[in-house]
Amino acid sequence: NAGVTQTPKFQVLKTGQSMTLQCAQDMNHNSMYWYRQDPGMGLRLIYYSASEGTTDKGEVPNGYNVSRLNKREFSLRLESAAPSQTSVYFCASSEARLTYQETQYFGPGTRLLVL
Amino acid sequence: AQSVTQLDSHVSVSEGTPVLLRCNYSSSYSPSLFWYVQHPNKGLQLLLKYTSAATLVKGINGFEAEFKKSETSFHLTKPSAHMSDAAEYFCVLKAAGNKLTFGGGTRVLVKP
């Protein structure tokens, strides 16, 4: 049981390049999330998917797109990377979004540097 | 609106001494509160959570936290710090809806 996995672990991009961050979970969770972590700001929600086939914007969605490929996989795409998107990206999953008591489980993160 | 404030950005303790990480929250609804730990270059690991049951919550690795509604606080403590406790700790609030609100984090340094 690997939990939440993310690829790649590290990536360096030039401004304007595109890339897709991959996330998968093997816990049969319904909900999945993408966060970015910047120093002193905790984690901020980019997009989330409450269930397969649905996606919604979070706090900082500009410059990103997402795809909930199936129940297991949730990808984050940067169409034209900017230096402001240099960050650590975390994927998370939870069983359901129906209660506020649910726990989110996090992947190990992807460190992205945009030059 | 909801918010989380971690009162110390850095805490330095000696091995074997108590650790106190302070967290205050603001929420219009009855919240769930979580503490996560992040070791260097690792993901976030859940330490403990409060979900309106017992106000004193015990977590993994000897950590515990007490929910005090009157003080809107959820401080994290450990009686005796270990070198492996050196990490960054996040207090997280979840109220109605799906959104998690993270504090800014407290980085813990443990001196031998």
Side-chain angles (χ1 to χ4, degrees):
Chain A
N1 195 344
V4 180
T5 57
Q6 293 181 234
T7 56
K9 290 185 178 180
F10 304 97
Q11 185 70 49
V12 179
L13 292 178
K14 294 181 180 178
T15 296
Q17 287 185 318
S18 62
M19 78 161 295
T20 300
L21 283 65
Q22 306 286 354
C23 173
Q25 52 89 12
D26 62 2
M27 297 175 282
N28 201 36
H29 284 170
N30 288 301
S31 299
M32 297 185 73
Y33 315 83
W34 275 106
Y35 293 89
R36 60 177 288 172
Q37 182 182 31
D38 301 294
M41 302 183 75
L43 275 72
R44 294 180 292 170
L45 182 65
I46 304 171
Y47 271 93
Y48 67 96
S49 170
S51 60
E52 187 178 354
T54 69
T55 60
D56 287 285
K57 295 179 180 179
E59 187 180 353
V60 288
N62 291 344
Y64 304 95
N65 285 300
V66 291
S67 295
R68 184 74 183 267
L69 304 171
N70 47 57
K71 191 172 185 179
R72 289 188 64 247
E73 299 172 288
F74 188 39
S75 63
L76 178 72
R77 183 159 178 84
L78 286 69
E79 290 291 351
S80 179
S84 61
Q85 294 178 304
T86 293
S87 188
V88 182
Y89 292 85
F90 287 98
C91 177
S93 71
S94 64
E95 186 170 347
R97 67 181 297 270
L98 297 179
T99 75
Y100 70 93
Q101 298 174 349
E102 67 186 276
T103 298
Q104 292 187 16
Y105 297 88
F106 288 81
T110 294
R111 297 180 181 278
L112 176 66
L113 173 63
V114 183
L115 301 174
Chain B
Q2 54 193 45
S3 65
V4 177
T5 303
Q6 291 183 240
L7 297 170
D8 306 292
S9 59
H10 293 81
V11 167
S12 180
V13 298
S14 297
E15 190 175 21
T17 64
V19 181
L20 168 64
L21 305 183
R22 299 182 294 167
C23 172
N24 286 353
Y25 70 91
S26 174
S27 175
S28 302
Y29 304 93
S30 296
S32 288
L33 289 155
F34 306 78
W35 275 100
Y36 283 87
V37 60
Q38 184 181 26
H39 287 93
N41 300 315
K42 300 288 186 184
L44 282 81
Q45 180 185 18
L46 179 69
L47 279 178
L48 50 81
K49 68 178 182 180
Y50 165 77
T51 56
S52 75
T55 56
L56 183 61
V57 182
K58 294 188 183 298
I60 61 172
N61 300 336
F63 284 94
E64 64 181 35
E66 186 171 9
F67 174 73
K68 292 187 176 180
K69 186 175 181 179
S70 61
E71 299 177 10
T72 61
S73 68
F74 189 56
H75 300 336
L76 180 71
T77 60
K78 182 173 181 177
S80 177
H82 190 271
M83 295 299 292
S84 61
D85 295 328
E88 189 161 18
Y89 293 78
F90 292 95
C91 181
V92 182
L93 178 150
K94 189 171 194 290
N98 202 46
K99 184 174 178 240
L100 291 185
T101 300
F102 283 76
T106 298
R107 194 171 295 276
V108 173
L109 172 66
V110 182
K111 297 177 289 185

